[in-house]
């Protein structure tokens, strides 16, 4: 029997009694590129973090590939929001990507030649091999995001979670990132992206999770991306809607 | 020269030298993680918080190492508990908890009625290091260095991107308290050399100087240890030659090195940056 990549039942999350995520149930099949969209404060990042058990939940069950998160951890790669990172940290691009090999290294083991070659391959894939010796703060926003994608690739994960990967990223980096995410899905990986920009959503994703604390809609992009559903989530921010031509 | 002769001649000076070299190394190493995690204030707090533990250990007649680690780690937990379970911010929580621990320590020590002990604990006196103290410092030093060597991967990931660590299953909370335990041990090891009040300088200043010199953590750790050692030896020299308080002399040596690096570091130094700006502006004229 095939397990869904992600299966969530009745997920509730709150901060000091204020509900941020209310009763979300959904299940996602492997090989899909999924966008989480919704207005500011809709709990998109909270939802993502709760799914990965990085913050405590009030209620609900989550299974990844039919097993608990603790059992599935090694199959997950997570890319944080850009402003969660200290870009002055004394670490080079190559060393940052090498962190991606850590989950598969045994305790007390250091990354060796094999891991370095693999990390360089991952950097090559995102077009950042020539920058391997730079300190991460010396890169542009788009380059930094590509390095973090390379780190996720280095994890050899089955599931990728990216929190707002296109914020502060130039157009060509965004294209590179999207291309790689789509390739991952063709190879049967599951990719979940928190996304703030509605204009590209239709182009990028196979499925959308439309959130506004509650699950407003979930399904194939063509079904979710309709004026009335989007309007329901964004609760009448119509000026904005017209602008992007929904 | 006289200093070197004296080192060969006097056993107490040899002990002082070995102890302060070890303190320079481990403070530098742990200090790197402390400043990269933005925990400089936490370092100050934990070092002060060992006082009640040390005092109680004296009272009970047990080795002060155990009491110090106990009260240090307990304070770290209390700080975390308050900031996580209320709207109190982390630095405020640190301020509340470490002063409470420190005050409790002072009260306990006055009950002991031995103010010389208090003075030595607070400010250190490396020239009075006994063999047993030296061995404790050496032992703690080796344990701390081994711990950092063995768990380097985990310390690096959680310092750089804690969420990633948590996402792939690292016990990040435990690693935090593990580091707090190491920090407490380093403080205890430094008691005789620089004293509680100034330990934080040995943790932060050499590491901060190293941070301005390199863009790689592994190199930063070695540089910080090196700067720590040079500070210790220089400070000890001045302390011995001019009869100055050892802790203060060592700390000022570290500060002097930091100022040098701050001005002249090849990449991040102030002078270099100013030159680059001037060159750029000149090219635009």
């Amino acid at each position: 029997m095939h397990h869904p990549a992600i299966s969530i039942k009745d997920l509730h999350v709150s901060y000091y009694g204020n509900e941020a995520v209310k009763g979300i149930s959904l299940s996602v099949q492997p090989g899909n590129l999924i966008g989480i969209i919704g207005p500011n404060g809709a709990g998109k990042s909270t939802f993502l973090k709760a799914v990965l058990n990085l913050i405590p939940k009030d209620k609900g069950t989550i299974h990844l590939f039919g097993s608990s998160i603790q059992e599935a951890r090694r199959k997950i790669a997570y890319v944080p929001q850009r402003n969660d990172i200290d870009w002055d940290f004394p670490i080079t691009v190559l060393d940052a990507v090498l962190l991606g090999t850590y989950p598969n290294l045994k305790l007390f083991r250091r990354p060796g030649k094999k891991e370095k070659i693999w990390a360089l391959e991952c950097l090559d894939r995102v077009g950042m091999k020539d920058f391997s010796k730079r300190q991460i703060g010396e890169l542009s926003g788009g380059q930094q995001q590509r390095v973090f994608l390379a780190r996720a690739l280095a994890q050899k994960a089955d599931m990728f979670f990216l929190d707002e990967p296109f914020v502060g990223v130039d157009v060509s980096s965004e294209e590179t990132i999207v291309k790689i995410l789509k390739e991952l899905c063709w190879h049967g990986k599951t990719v979940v992206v928190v996304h703030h920009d509605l204009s590209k959503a239709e182009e990028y994703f196979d499925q959308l999770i439309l959130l506004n604390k509650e699950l407003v809609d979930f399904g194939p992009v063509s079904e979710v991306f309709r004026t009335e559903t989007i309007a329901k989530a964004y609760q009448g921010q119509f000026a904005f809607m017209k602008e992007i031509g929904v | 020269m006289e200093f070197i002769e004296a080192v060969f001649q006097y056993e107490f000076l040899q002990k002082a030298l070995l102890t302060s070299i070890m303190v320079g190394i481990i403070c530098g190493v742990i200090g790197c993680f402390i400043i990269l995690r933005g925990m400089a204030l936490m370092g100050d707090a934990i070092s002060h918080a060992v006082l009640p533990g040390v005092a109680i250990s004296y009272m009970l007649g047990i080795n002060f190492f155990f009491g110090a680690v106990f009260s240090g780690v307990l304070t770290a937990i209390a700080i975390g508990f308050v900031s996580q379970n209320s709207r109190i911010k982390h630095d405020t929580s640190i301020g509340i908890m470490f002063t409470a621990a420190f005050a409790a320590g002072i009260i306990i020590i006055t009950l002991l009625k031995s103010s010389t002990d208090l003075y030595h604990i607070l400010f250190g006196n490396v020239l009075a290091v006994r063999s047993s103290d030296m061995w404790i410092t050496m032992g703690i030093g080796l344990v701390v260095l081994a711990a950092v060597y063995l768990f380097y991967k985990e310390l690096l990931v959680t310092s750089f991107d804690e969420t990633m660590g948590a996402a792939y299953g690292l016990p990040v909370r435990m690693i935090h308290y593990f580091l707090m335990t190491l920090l407490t041990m380093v403080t205890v090891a430094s008691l005789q050399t620089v004293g509680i009040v100034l330990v934080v300088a040995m943790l932060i200043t050499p590491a901060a100087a190293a941070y301005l010199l390199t863009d790689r953590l592994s190199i930063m750790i070695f540089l910080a240890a090196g700067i720590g050692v040079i500070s210790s030896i220089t400070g000890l020299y001045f302390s011995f030659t001019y009869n100055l308080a050892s802790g203060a002399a060592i700390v000022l040596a570290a500060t002097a090195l930091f100022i040098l690096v701050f001005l002249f570091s090849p990449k991040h130094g102030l002078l270099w940056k100013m030159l680059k700006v001037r060159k750029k502006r000149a090219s635009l004229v």
Side-chain angles (χ1 to χ4, degrees), chain B residues 130-210:
Chain B
R130 290 165 301 182
S131 293
S132 63
D133 299 328
M134 184 181 80
W135 291 117
I136 287 178
T137 301
M138 293 297 156
I140 292 175
L142 290 178
V143 170
V144 169
L145 293 177
V148 170
Y149 179 77
L150 291 174
F151 295 103
Y152 180 74
K153 274 202 329 262
E154 288 71 20
L155 288 170
L156 171 58
V157 177
T158 52
S159 301
F160 177 56
D161 185 356
E162 194 167 49
T163 321
M164 180 213 177
Y168 84 73
L170 285 183
V172 291
R173 185 66 33 95
M174 222 172 81
I175 292 170
H176 170 79
Y177 287 115
F178 175 66
L179 187 64
M180 289 303 104
T181 310
L182 293 182
L183 176 61
T184 315
M185 289 166 68
V186 168
T187 306
V188 174
S190 316
L191 277 183
Q192 290 278 335
T193 316
V194 280
I196 284 178
V197 177
L198 290 176
V199 171
V200 68
M202 285 308 283
L203 284 165
I204 291 169
T205 310

Side-chain angles (χ1 to χ4, degrees), chain B residues 45-63:
Chain B
I46 300 304
S47 56
H48 281 75
V50 304
L51 188 61
V54 173
I56 291 173
S57 303
Y58 268 117
M59 214 188 244
L60 300 177
I62 57 173
N63 193 307

Side-chain angles (χ1 to χ4, degrees), chain B residues 204-252:
Chain B
I204 291 169
T205 310
Y211 179 59
L212 292 177
L213 286 171
T214 177
D215 282 330
R216 297 191 72 169
L217 177 60
S218 47
I219 297 171
M220 179 180 163
I221 289 174
F222 283 102
L223 283 175
I227 294 169
V229 169
I230 296 171
S231 311
S232 292
I233 296 173
T234 317
L236 193 61
Y237 166 78
F238 281 105
S239 170
F240 176 76
T241 313
Y242 300 104
N243 196 23
L244 306 171
S246 60
I250 290 171
V251 169
L252 286 181

Side-chain angles (χ1 to χ4, degrees), chain A residues 95 106 109-110 138 151, chain B residues 149 153 161 216 267:
Chain A
D95 285 342
K106 291 204 175 72
R109 268 296 171 86
R110 298 288 172 82
E138 295 167 13
R151 184 182 79 176
Chain B
Y149 179 77
K153 274 202 329 262
D161 185 356
R216 297 191 72 169
K267 194 172 167 189

Side-chain angles (χ1 to χ4, degrees), chain A residues 20-227:
Chain A
V21 169
K22 295 180 194 170
I24 293 180
S25 301
L26 55 87
S27 103
V28 169
Q29 295 305 317
N32 280 306
L33 179 48
I34 295 138
I36 302 177
I37 59 172
N40 287 332
K44 301 185 291 285
S45 294
T46 307
F47 171 69
L48 191 69
K49 285 189 175 149
V51 170
L52 296 177
N53 203 22
L54 297 173
I55 52 172
K57 56 182 189 287
D58 295 336
K59 193 186 168 196
T61 53
I62 295 157
H63 286 98
L64 304 179
F65 298 115
S67 47
S68 77
I69 297 160
Q70 296 313 332
E71 289 164 326
R73 286 252 181 249
R74 298 281 147 107
K75 298 176 189 163
I76 298 169
Y78 172 82
V79 177
Q81 282 189 23
R82 266 174 46 77
N83 49 10
D84 288 348
I85 298 297
D86 171 13
W87 296 103
D88 287 328
F89 197 92
I91 191 167
T92 60
V93 167
L94 180 62
D95 285 342
V97 177
L98 273 173
L99 297 181
T101 66
Y102 284 14
N104 294 313
L105 285 174
K106 291 204 175 72
L107 196 67
F108 308 143
R109 268 296 171 86
R110 298 288 172 82
K113 208 169 192 177
K114 204 177 86 192
E115 282 76 21
K116 274 181 192 147
I117 291 169
W118 170 239
L120 281 170
E121 256 172 62
C122 294
L123 268 176
D124 199 24
R125 215 169 142 190
V126 300
M128 288 296 294
K129 201 179 177 183
D130 295 341
F131 296 84
S132 67
K133 290 189 175 128
R134 297 279 191 92
Q135 193 265 335
I136 50 161
E138 295 167 13
L139 309 177
S140 74
Q143 292 172 330
Q144 288 171 343
Q145 201 58 261
R146 272 146 68 192
V147 169
F148 270 70
L149 180 61
R151 184 182 79 176
L153 294 174
Q155 287 184 248
K156 299 183 180 171
D158 292 325
M159 234 185 281
F160 295 80
F161 295 86
L162 297 88
D163 200 345
E164 302 264 18
F166 306 124
V167 171
V169 166
D170 58 285
V171 180
S172 90
S173 288
E174 184 162 333
E175 277 168 6
T176 309
I177 293 168
V178 170
K179 195 181 122 237
I180 291 168
L181 295 181
K182 286 190 171 167
E183 282 168 10
L184 287 170
C185 292
W186 292 333
H187 289 98
K189 314 286 188 188
T190 311
V191 181
V192 182
V193 178
V194 172
H195 191 57
H196 69 293
D197 180 9
L198 283 177
S199 64
K200 294 283 178 65
E202 217 171 351
E203 200 181 306
Y204 288 171
F205 302 114
D206 304 322
Q207 295 186 319
L208 285 182
I209 296 173
L210 184 56
L211 276 189
N212 192 0
K213 294 188 177 167
E214 298 169 338
L215 184 63
V216 179
D217 203 358
F218 165 63
V221 174
S222 54
E223 284 173 32
V224 176
F225 213 72
R226 289 170 306 167
T227 317

Side-chain angles (χ1 to χ4, degrees), chain B residues 241-272:
Chain B
T241 313
Y242 300 104
N243 196 23
L244 306 171
S246 60
I250 290 171
V251 169
L252 286 181
T255 314
L257 287 174
F258 174 79
I259 292 171
L260 280 179
V261 171
F262 178 76
L263 293 176
F264 302 114
S265 160
K267 194 172 167 189
H268 302 289
L270 191 65
L271 213 71
W272 187 247

